[in-house]
Amino acid sequence: MLPEIKGLNEECGIFGVWGHQDAAQLTYYGLHSLQHRGQEGTGIVVSDRKTLKGMKGEGLVSEVFNTNTIKELVGDAAIGHVRYATAGGGGYENVQPLLFHSQTGSLALAHNGNLVNANSLKHQLEGQGSIFQTSSDTEVLAHLIRRSGYSHLNDQVKNALSMLKGAYAYLIMTENELMVALDPHGLRPLSLGCLGDAYVVASETCAFDVVGAEYIRDIMPGELLIINDKGLTSERFAMSTTRAICTMEYIYFSRPDSNIQGINVHTARKNMGKQLAMEAPIEADVVTGVPDSSISAAIGYAEAAGIPYEMGLIKNKYVGRTFIQPSQSLREQGVKMKLSAVRGVVEGKRVVMVDDSIVRGTTSRRIVTLLKEAGATEVHVVISSPPIKNPCFYGIDTSSKEELIASDKSVEQIRELIGADSLTFISVEGMMRALGQEGTNGYCLGCFTGNYPTEIYPDTLQYYYQK
Ligand code: SF4
């Protein structure tokens, strides 16, 4: 096992502002709206054009920052980060943005994604004398930038980015510039907006709505966007690019009020539900969705099937997301604390229960049991993603192959294990149709099909398959 890779397995959210006097405050609100992407740590770095100053901590945005601490972050440019990390990958030192000071100036970095060649690069850099302060792959970029032989920062950054493989959306800030970079496959969403004369950048467009910013466009795969007082400059650090955005962003990760590549996430999920109603027509009395990420798909299923949508499951909103918590025991405990079945809705009823995914199967089994204990006579499970058979190497914690229930079990075997009366997963074609696509071009489907958009390095493979 390669312990350093553990810390690389993360899904995060990033937010940046250039040219606004309330940069830290806007970043606080932006990060708050991206909190679903990571709850284990958060930080903000500001530039007052003379120096960079940062503050970070473990916990939620509202736990780490308050009115007084935000007031201390003076400057008209800022970048911020919310972090999710698996067990062993947490710790204060890994909370971002990472901030580096040197004689030539300061550099702050915030990263969403996962590099698949981080270990190879780390070994190479350590061989050249680099000393790493964190176990996060984000730091690799800082060392590559500083070791680049180029004299201008833009060239140093472009050269460093061209050596990275995997998924990355980066915000890189110096005293005088904010740089925004997206990997050549554009695996993670990243959008540009404006607020008056200021520019904002965020992992999801829901953050623009919160701060009152206007969406301009998505960052392009392989693009390095440089924002400074002269305006915007778009450069490319990769000539060969093929968009392969993560389909799980639409299914599970992003907020329903976000738009990715012009597609509203709620609408995409609703379409997936409608598609499932065609693929899995079921005689039932009520349709319910597992809150929150499956409600849109459940509404779509109910609408297309002509079966009433009901709130058969209630979520305790003050408990963190199941998928986000690091250990199996915490995940199982989380489900018990988080969800309740509404007896008055499901008792004596045949229930269609819509969920977004089955990862290990334990959560689905627990929810089916909850509904049956509350008196449901039948529970038919429909899933708005295809079976997850393979791990994700690009920053979403779908676990090792052995932990994925669909990796070696048939749909019928999974149905039996979760105790459902029937089980249907959306087909890959159906999912693409729900996204308005005929083929699979432009999307990553690695965890469903095993076809990944990038080369996967042997040490990374070893970790994910033997974890
Ligand atoms: S492998 Fe799956 S979860 Fe990972 S980026 Fe691709 S679609 Fe998303």
Side-chain angles (χ1 to χ4, degrees), residues 92-103:
Y92 177 82
E93 73 279 6
N94 284 328
V95 177
Q96 300 185 30
L98 300 182
L99 183 51
F100 305 90
H101 297 289
S102 73
Q103 285 176 342

Side-chain angles (χ1 to χ4, degrees), residues 11 167 187-188 244-249 251 253 388 390-398 431 443-448 451-453:
E11 167 67 37
L187 275 147
R188 297 277 148 249
I245 185 129
C246 169
T247 38
M248 281 295 278
E249 290 282 354
I251 296 163
F253 243 98
I388 300 175
N390 306 282
C392 173
F393 301 107
Y394 306 122
I396 288 190
D397 180 21
T398 50
M431 178 176 70
Y443 291 83
C444 176
L445 299 160
C447 50
F448 310 122
N451 296 324
Y452 297 98

Side-chain angles (χ1 to χ4, degrees), residues 57-134:
E58 292 178 80
L60 302 174
V61 176
S62 58
E63 291 165 350
V64 172
F65 297 104
N66 58 44
T67 314
N68 292 333
T69 54
I70 289 292
K71 272 190 197 150
E72 287 173 33
L73 293 171
V74 179
D76 71 350
I79 62 170
H81 190 269
V82 285
R83 175 176 170 80
Y84 164 69
T86 51
Y92 177 82
E93 73 279 6
N94 284 328
V95 177
Q96 300 185 30
L98 300 182
L99 183 51
F100 305 90
H101 297 289
S102 73
Q103 285 176 342
T104 53
S106 305
L107 188 78
L109 289 180
H111 172 208
N112 172 28
N114 190 45
L115 305 180
V116 293
N117 65 338
N119 274 351
S120 318
L121 290 171
K122 256 186 180 182
H123 291 153
Q124 215 174 299
L125 286 161
E126 280 175 351
Q128 293 165 3
S130 288
I131 297 171
F132 284 83
Q133 298 170 22
T134 72

Side-chain angles (χ1 to χ4, degrees), residues 136-203:
S136 156
D137 58 344
T138 305
E139 200 183 342
V140 169
L141 181 65
H143 288 266
L144 289 173
I145 292 171
R146 285 296 177 225
R147 285 188 172 274
S148 157
Y150 292 90
S151 48
H152 288 107
L153 182 65
N154 294 6
D155 296 324
Q156 291 171 3
V157 170
K158 282 198 278 185
N159 179 256
L161 289 168
S162 69
M163 296 169 78
L164 306 179
K165 305 271 184 257
Y168 50 90
Y170 272 111
L171 296 182
I172 306 160
M173 190 170 71
T174 65
E175 287 84 350
N176 301 309
E177 256 171 4
L178 170 60
M179 296 182 170
V180 185
L182 188 63
D183 71 74
H185 295 285
L187 275 147
R188 297 277 148 249
L190 189 60
S191 302
L192 171 72
C194 64
L195 180 58
D197 293 335
Y199 288 104
V200 290
V201 185
S203 293

Side-chain angles (χ1 to χ4, degrees), residues 31 34 115 178 256-257 265 302 417 425 444:
L31 292 179
L34 300 173
L115 305 180
L178 170 60
D257 52 341
V265 172
L417 280 167
F425 291 88
C444 176

